[in-house]
Amino acid sequence: MKTKTVNLEKASVKLNNITKIFDSPKMDESVTAVDDFNLDFKEGELTTLLGPSGCGKTTTLRMIAGFEDPTNGDIYFNDQRVNDLAANKRDSAMVFQSYALFPHMTVAENITYGLRFKKMNKAKQKEKLNEILRIIGMEGYEDRRPGELSGGQQQRVALSRALIMEPKVLLFDEPLSNLDAKLRETMRNEIRRIQRDLSITTIYVTHDQDEAMSISDNIVIMNDGHIEQVGNPEEVYFQPKNEFVADFIGTVNLLPAEITNNSGNSFTLDIMGERSLTKEQKGDFNIGDEVQLVVRPESLDITEKNQGLINGKIKNRVFLGTHNEYYIDIGLKKPIKINIFNTRLKEDFQRGDEISIDFNSSDVHIVE
Ligand code: ATP
């Protein structure tokens, strides 16, 4: 039986009070790109750093890789503090958005590039190359040059070049941004498959919520150098900590409400001054607090006027085959979006109808 030649050791990564401040000599002011991060990246898991442009994702990744020194704080791979270790001594490998392949080298030469510095003999290199090509699904492409490959294939070669080094930590910086939507989806499934098969500790930077949701064990949601929430995809989707997370993760309906009663983990809310609702939820909310209720489009119902929680008017209805998308004006800046599967629709409500929207307290989540 053939033994596996790619044998990855695993590591956890820990950031303790990591801050990065960039000095800007021209403007005479500094930028705090990363502000006091404490994070644990667990062994064998894929964690995504997700957030809008400029929130500090790449800077965090580059500090873990050793390309950038933190201004304060400590970075650990397992129990080893790695702050003073050069990038090439850290047992991490990075896959870049731009692939960073050598155009004059063949696929095989690109993939084995790092091994040559390890002074590995040719036969062993070939054995590792063959296994990587098999894992990545690119057997037979050894002699092509990057210019003769598609974008997706080039990204596979870039990933192979990282994997062949048997890193303890694999780092991705927006690896799929240069690919079209369909290929992005294929490649993210592929990356997840390989990551799971090898169970390699992986840190993945993206600004794309769908990508983060579909591939991650954990998501770190960042905003302006701060961590807003850390959780698995279900947690950040169903229990966003605040309005920023709810909005960024793609929950489209936010209803303003006020806490009118608080008994332990049960809160009574006044929704838009119209109706009250009681919700069981863990949280630190006080009477008088102005909060937001997160409600997903698939959790809302349409009923006859005055029969539901809030009255409104149907602004638009879009037929999408399996379901209808309704846009309801309830006097907020943005209309409320409701998805109703055709089988769920009791009555045929039309554009312009005065209706009422309804939902169960179990389907909402209170955020600050
Ligand atoms: P994007 O998704 O656009 O790549 P990001 O979340 O990765 O953004 P970073 O590239 O980490 O964000 O940048 C965080 C902040 O630090 C930004 O305000 C950026 O302008 C600043 N910054 C990053 N690198 C430097 C640098 N070398 N010198 C000065 N400021 C920098």
Side-chain angles (χ1 to χ4, degrees), residues 57-290:
K57 307 179 293 288
T58 300
T59 304
T60 306
L61 200 72
R62 289 174 57 81
M63 286 192 284
I64 295 168
F67 300 147
E68 205 80 71
D69 289 326
T71 311
N72 281 310
D74 301 307
I75 302 174
Y76 290 91
F77 281 19
N78 290 329
D79 293 331
Q80 187 188 11
R81 185 175 177 277
V82 296
N83 288 51
D84 302 323
L85 277 188
N88 61 354
K89 298 273 187 284
R90 284 197 189 183
D91 282 338
S92 61
M94 177 104 98
V95 180
F96 298 92
Q97 177 181 342
S98 58
Y99 320 135
L101 300 177
F102 299 111
H104 59 286
M105 289 187 192
T106 62
V107 165
E109 286 164 346
N110 264 289
I111 295 176
T112 55
Y113 183 75
L115 293 184
R116 274 172 260 161
F117 295 97
K118 285 194 164 181
K119 301 201 171 59
M120 187 178 282
N121 73 49
K122 282 261 160 64
K124 184 90 182 141
Q125 281 189 32
K126 180 90 176 102
E127 194 184 340
K128 278 187 179 296
L129 172 69
N130 288 342
E131 190 184 349
I132 289 285
L133 288 169
R134 185 184 56 73
I135 292 173
I136 208 83
M138 281 193 62
E139 290 148 308
Y141 286 85
E142 293 85 329
D143 297 326
R144 293 223 196 160
R145 287 177 210 281
E148 298 163 332
L149 300 174
S150 70
Q153 288 166 338
Q154 289 184 48
Q155 192 52 287
R156 278 168 214 258
V157 175
L159 175 57
S160 306
R161 190 178 53 183
L163 287 175
I164 208 164
M165 300 307 288
E166 301 182 2
K168 286 185 188 153
V169 180
L170 187 57
L171 306 169
F172 287 95
D173 191 6
E174 306 246 9
L176 308 180
S177 299
N178 289 344
L179 305 176
D180 65 52
K182 199 149 183 273
L183 193 54
R184 258 204 320 262
E185 219 176 295
T186 313
M187 280 302 292
R188 74 188 188 206
N189 293 338
E190 192 71 345
I191 288 175
R192 183 56 161 160
R193 176 186 67 78
I194 292 165
Q195 186 273 334
R196 277 210 170 112
D197 281 356
L198 301 174
S199 79
I200 179 167
T201 311
T202 300
I203 306 173
Y204 190 103
V205 161
T206 182
H207 62 267
D208 182 325
Q209 305 85 299
D210 288 345
E211 200 168 299
M213 292 297 254
S214 63
I215 64 166
S216 309
D217 291 303
N218 296 298
I219 302 179
V220 179
I221 296 178
M222 295 170 53
N223 177 23
D224 199 16
H226 297 274
I227 296 171
E228 296 281 356
Q229 187 169 355
V230 182
N232 65 37
E234 285 80 11
E235 280 164 349
V236 296
Y237 186 77
F238 289 112
Q239 290 142 34
K241 262 204 177 139
N242 54 36
E243 194 176 334
F244 177 85
V245 176
D247 202 32
F248 195 75
I249 221 70
T251 310
V252 283
N253 299 314
L254 288 167
L255 301 173
E258 189 186 328
I259 306 278
T260 55
N261 203 0
N262 158 1
S263 60
N265 287 327
S266 172
F267 300 97
T268 308
L269 300 125
D270 186 22
I271 310 167
M272 297 176 65
E274 284 207 34
R275 289 294 166 98
S276 90
L277 177 103
T278 301
K279 168 77 186 163
E280 307 278 328
Q281 184 181 316
K282 280 193 186 138
D284 191 15
F285 304 109
N286 298 309
I287 294 173
D289 280 359
E290 305 216 329

Side-chain angles (χ1 to χ4, degrees), residues 28 46 73 98 112 129 157 186 231 241 298 322 332 337 346 350:
D28 200 28
L46 191 154
S98 58
T112 55
L129 172 69
V157 175
T186 313
K241 262 204 177 139
E298 64 273 21
T322 55
L332 295 175
K337 184 174 163 187
K346 293 178 203 101
Q350 299 297 335

